[in-house]
Amino acid sequence: MPPHTTSSLSVSALFDGSGRLTTIPRRPARREQLLAHLTETLFEEGRPYTEPEVNEALRTVHDDCSALRRHLIVSGHLSRTRDGRTYHRTPATALPPTA
């Protein structure tokens, strides 16, 4: 049996039974996997979001919405306008197909 790698672990393992994120992963690859999942499940492509809307969506999974929002911006999963008023899902953030 091959050893588990970060990419082979299910994102669902990061959530408790009520769908809340138990912790924000420290390992970059695991965090990237989580961010791709959150982007795919919480934000629609082509739809603009205000910061309060982004925060509200992220609070459904974790109380530290500002940390998650920052990670999503830095990683390129979400973009925002220069004035910080509008956020968009970046088109290239679709989850890779699972084998």
Side-chain angles (χ1 to χ4, degrees):
M1 178 181 246
H4 288 287
T5 62
T6 302
S7 61
S8 70
L9 297 174
S10 173
V11 172
S12 63
L14 297 171
F15 295 87
D16 65 17
S18 63
R20 301 282 295 169
L21 183 62
T22 57
T23 187
I24 299 172
R26 288 178 174 229
R27 289 186 165 176
R30 188 70 165 144
R31 186 171 51 239
E32 175 59 29
Q33 187 182 27
L34 169 69
L35 296 173
H37 172 77
L38 293 178
T39 303
E40 183 77 17
T41 59
L42 297 177
F43 302 103
E44 297 174 34
E45 274 191 68
R47 181 190 183 286
Y49 292 89
T50 63
E51 186 171 305
E53 289 173 321
V54 172
N55 291 345
E56 182 180 334
L58 294 173
R59 274 194 198 102
T60 65
V61 295
H62 197 272
D63 290 333
D64 194 353
C65 63
S66 60
L68 286 173
R69 187 182 67 242
R70 188 170 37 256
H71 286 305
L72 287 166
I73 294 296
V74 169
S75 67
H77 290 281
L78 291 182
S79 63
R80 69 177 167 211
T81 56
R82 287 180 82 89
D83 63 10
R85 289 181 173 211
T86 307
Y87 292 75
H88 291 89
R89 177 176 159 183
T90 306
T93 58
L95 288 175
T98 55

